[in-house]
Amino acid sequence: MERILVLDASESLGFRFSKDYTDKYEIMPLSSEHGLYSLLKSIENLNDDFDFVINNFEISYYNRNTDLFDLNFKMQDIINEKFRSAKKIYISTQMVYSSSGDKKSESDKTEPETYYGRTKLMGEAEAKKDNNYIIFRSGLIYGKCIKNIYTDILVSLRGRTPLKLDNSIRINPTLNRDASMAVEAIIKYSDNDVYNLASPDNMTLYDFGRNIAGALNVDNYNFIKINSSNCYNYDVSSEKIEKTLNFKFSTLNLMNFMTFLR
């Protein structure tokens, strides 16, 4: 049975992958829910006997701590040094592209306009230093997990508590069940390649929250709309991976809402 290290397994994609494939692979899930120092210590104590390492380490783009952003690429450097035998799977972001009204494909030039996007692109460069890698440029991955902005939105809706949501960056919300399946299907059969991993939906985080509120029939949500002076559109096309897998990403709508709650 192949061994897979999943980092971070409390975040949406890592959580779902560890849950979906626990019977198919020997999965070692590492979580950051107890802090980054604890996570790094756990990595240090592992042996180099994994077939795959999925670097799902994520700092949200709306975070303002640049020291944490720097770990977006430093973590991949740590993984490269520690796990020389494994195939490296790096979960990047659609925000490595430049903003435009067109859907971006994997061949489009990467010109990140945010510090978050730049550190993710630096992480991609680290992953490519290894001779066995796959890079996924993901949208906002949502679904049942321990922590991410989706769970924050649910907590806000249930408690009617205030939550700040960005309304200046358009991204592709992507169901973690879809992302988990696509990653598992690709990593064993593709080498040294890049794939967009995103649904066809395109919206701001604020609009995403409103969609969730509508699906839950919550009218009096307490979202605080955050606008910046710059508006960016990072809409991407996942045609490459969909054609490879003969598969379509789910869209965010009322009919499939109960499915992605599970």
Side-chain angles (χ1 to χ4, degrees):
M1 184 178 287
E2 291 171 305
R3 302 195 72 213
I4 301 180
L5 175 64
V6 179
L7 171 91
D8 175 0
S10 56
E11 242 283 330
S12 190
L13 171 59
F15 180 90
R16 187 75 204 196
F17 188 96
S18 300
K19 178 183 174 73
D20 287 347
Y21 298 107
T22 186
D23 294 330
K24 186 173 182 179
Y25 305 103
E26 184 180 344
I27 294 178
M28 169 72 72
L30 289 186
S31 171
S32 65
E33 62 177 321
H34 299 300
L36 294 177
Y37 177 79
S38 175
L39 176 65
L40 291 170
K41 197 68 177 176
S42 298
I43 293 173
E44 289 176 3
N45 292 332
L46 293 175
N47 294 322
D48 181 14
D49 57 357
F50 292 95
D51 298 289
F52 304 92
V53 176
I54 299 177
N55 181 6
N56 184 53
F57 181 76
E58 178 59 57
I59 302 298
S60 299
Y61 68 82
Y62 47 85
N63 195 298
R64 294 296 178 264
N65 189 329
T66 55
D67 289 338
L68 292 181
F69 277 159
D70 288 343
L71 278 173
N72 273 336
F73 69 93
K74 290 180 180 176
M75 188 65 74
Q76 189 61 40
D77 186 44
I78 292 168
I79 289 170
N80 287 358
E81 288 299 315
K82 178 69 179 179
F83 306 107
R84 296 180 180 273
S85 319
K87 186 172 187 175
K88 316 301 189 301
I89 315 302
Y90 183 68
I91 310 301
S92 185
T93 174
Q94 65 191 104
M95 291 172 66
V96 298
Y97 298 109
S98 62
S99 171
S100 75
D102 300 324
K103 282 187 174 290
K104 273 69 73 177
S105 71
E106 293 83 352
S107 60
D108 284 347
K109 191 173 182 179
T110 49
E111 294 180 321
E113 296 152 318
T114 63
Y115 192 74
Y116 168 78
R118 288 193 291 274
T119 56
K120 278 295 192 179
L121 188 59
M122 292 165 71
E124 289 190 15
E126 289 298 319
K128 290 177 179 178
K129 288 180 181 178
D130 192 87
N131 61 5
N132 198 1
Y133 69 87
I134 295 289
I135 293 168
F136 292 97
R137 293 174 178 157
S138 73
L140 169 70
I141 299 178
Y142 67 89
K144 185 178 180 181
C145 63
I146 295 173
K147 65 174 184 68
N148 80 354
I149 189 62
Y150 170 70
T151 56
D152 292 344
I153 288 170
L154 291 182
V155 169
S156 173
L157 291 173
R158 288 164 180 162
R160 306 298 197 270
T161 54
L163 180 65
K164 295 179 180 179
L165 294 177
D166 180 86
N167 194 48
S168 55
I169 296 177
R170 297 185 66 87
I171 40 82
N172 298 76
T174 305
L175 182 59
N176 63 352
R177 182 193 59 205
D178 290 351
S180 170
M181 186 280 292
V183 168
E184 194 274 337
I186 285 290
I187 61 176
K188 293 173 66 176
Y189 307 108
S190 183
D191 293 304
N192 302 347
D193 210 343
V194 178
Y195 294 90
N196 287 338
L197 189 71
S199 80
D201 291 327
N202 178 242
M203 65 190 71
T204 68
L205 197 54
Y206 179 78
D207 287 335
F208 174 68
R210 293 178 63 199
N211 270 275
I212 300 301
L216 287 173
N217 296 313
V218 177
D219 296 323
N220 57 337
Y221 50 82
N222 198 0
F223 300 145
I224 301 169
K225 186 189 299 186
I226 303 299
N227 291 302
S228 71
S229 57
N230 295 317
C231 293
Y232 301 112
N233 187 347
Y234 296 111
D235 195 15
V236 298
S237 167
S238 295
E239 182 179 2
K240 177 179 176 180
I241 197 168
E242 288 185 337
K243 282 188 173 180
T244 300
L245 301 179
N246 190 25
F247 154 85
K248 289 291 184 184
F249 284 93
S250 304
T251 59
L252 185 63
N253 57 59
L254 298 180
M255 292 185 65
N256 69 7
F257 182 76
M258 294 311 298
T259 299
F260 71 69
L261 272 180
R262 291 198 291 271

